[in-house]
Amino acid sequence: MPETAIGILGGTFDPVHSAHLALAETARQRFALDRVLWIPAGQPRHRDAPRATASDRLAMVEIAIANRPGFELDASEARSDAPSYTVPTLLRLRERFGATKPLVLLAGADAFLGLPSWHRWREIFSLAHLAVATRPGYVLDAAVMAPELAAEFLQRQHGSLAAAAGAIMPFTLVAGTVSATEARTMIKAGRDPGDWLPPGILDYIRTHHLYGT
């Protein structure tokens, strides 16, 4: 019987918001994942420095995923002073789970289209599958991808979780679009972002005076 897969959701989570939860839960059900590891970045290299400290971002993720079956916080990256890169993270997880355990890296379509700019990006496919969340009615099209990414996509889109790594698997995310930038802007302006944030997150932000509160 094939091993169940483990999902991996990395990000700054600055702050964690409802779209993160929707992506993780949809992927967990769609691919029958054993669990989803949430891995907040410490020193991300693909975006600006986080507004909140690593300890605050860890605390917010912990609040967001509390009492949600199948979600687990991995604090290793956030507690490290080393830059956060995907390939070293996957190598660390391979040491933890072994060579045969299917690992599934979760990403949105925009992040996937930018994959060729990632550090050592081609090595990702030897370490994990890549599950790409798309919005309803949107189809990943090789014609809009960088040529090197299109070649990988055309080769790998028919792979399966029977292997430990190597497939690219699009899936539809039926959820509203939320960005951390929009959430921070609303919070700073004194507006309530409502269901954009998981329960307890806005209280934490206000209590700890994050994002200009």
Side-chain angles (χ1 to χ4, degrees), residues 13-27:
F13 304 117
D14 189 30
V16 61
H17 52 65
S18 59
H20 293 133
L21 286 172
L23 190 156
E25 183 58 33
T26 301

Side-chain angles (χ1 to χ4, degrees), residues 119-197:
H119 182 60
R120 298 164 59 185
W121 70 278
R122 291 184 188 275
E123 295 178 46
I124 291 173
F125 301 116
S126 66
L127 296 167
H129 301 291
L130 192 56
V132 185
T134 65
R135 61 183 180 273
Y138 178 86
V139 178
L140 282 179
D141 185 354
V144 302
M145 299 176 192
E148 60 271 34
L149 181 61
E152 296 286 355
F153 176 70
L154 293 172
Q155 174 187 347
R156 299 178 182 280
Q157 64 178 321
H158 300 298
S160 76
L161 290 177
I168 297 174
M169 304 172 294
F171 69 102
T172 302
L173 180 61
V174 183
T177 300
V178 179
S179 79
T181 301
E182 291 173 320
R184 290 195 303 266
T185 299
M186 290 188 70
I187 292 165
K188 186 175 182 179
R191 298 163 58 195
D192 187 343
D195 59 5
W196 281 15
L197 298 180

Side-chain angles (χ1 to χ4, degrees), residues 12-209:
T12 53
F13 304 117
D14 189 30
V16 61
H17 52 65
S18 59
H20 293 133
L21 286 172
L23 190 156
E25 183 58 33
T26 301
R28 190 180 72 84
Q29 296 183 26
R30 169 68 177 78
F31 301 108
L33 301 176
D34 175 65
R35 73 193 98 160
V36 175
L37 298 180
W38 291 65
I39 309 181
Q43 304 294 327
R45 286 296 178 263
H46 289 286
R47 58 184 66 194
D48 295 336
R51 272 48 167 199
T53 66
S55 61
D56 281 326
R57 291 183 291 110
L58 282 171
M60 287 188 283
V61 172
E62 194 166 22
I63 291 168
I65 67 175
N67 303 315
R68 291 179 180 268
F71 290 169
E72 178 181 318
L73 177 62
D74 181 329
S76 301
E77 308 288 325
R79 290 175 177 164
S80 172
D81 292 329
S84 295
Y85 290 111
T86 301
V87 168
T89 296
L90 293 175
L91 288 169
R92 174 175 64 82
L93 295 175
R94 275 288 164 218
E95 290 182 0
R96 175 181 173 185
F97 294 110
T100 62
K101 186 73 170 176
L103 300 179
V104 183
L105 183 64
L106 310 180
D110 290 345
F112 173 74
L113 292 175
L115 200 62
S117 68
W118 292 23
H119 182 60
R120 298 164 59 185
W121 70 278
R122 291 184 188 275
E123 295 178 46
I124 291 173
F125 301 116
S126 66
L127 296 167
H129 301 291
L130 192 56
V132 185
T134 65
R135 61 183 180 273
Y138 178 86
V139 178
L140 282 179
D141 185 354
V144 302
M145 299 176 192
E148 60 271 34
L149 181 61
E152 296 286 355
F153 176 70
L154 293 172
Q155 174 187 347
R156 299 178 182 280
Q157 64 178 321
H158 300 298
S160 76
L161 290 177
I168 297 174
M169 304 172 294
F171 69 102
T172 302
L173 180 61
V174 183
T177 300
V178 179
S179 79
T181 301
E182 291 173 320
R184 290 195 303 266
T185 299
M186 290 188 70
I187 292 165
K188 186 175 182 179
R191 298 163 58 195
D192 187 343
D195 59 5
W196 281 15
L197 298 180
I201 300 301
L202 185 58
D203 287 343
Y204 183 94
I205 288 169
R206 287 173 171 167
T207 298
H208 292 82
H209 308 294

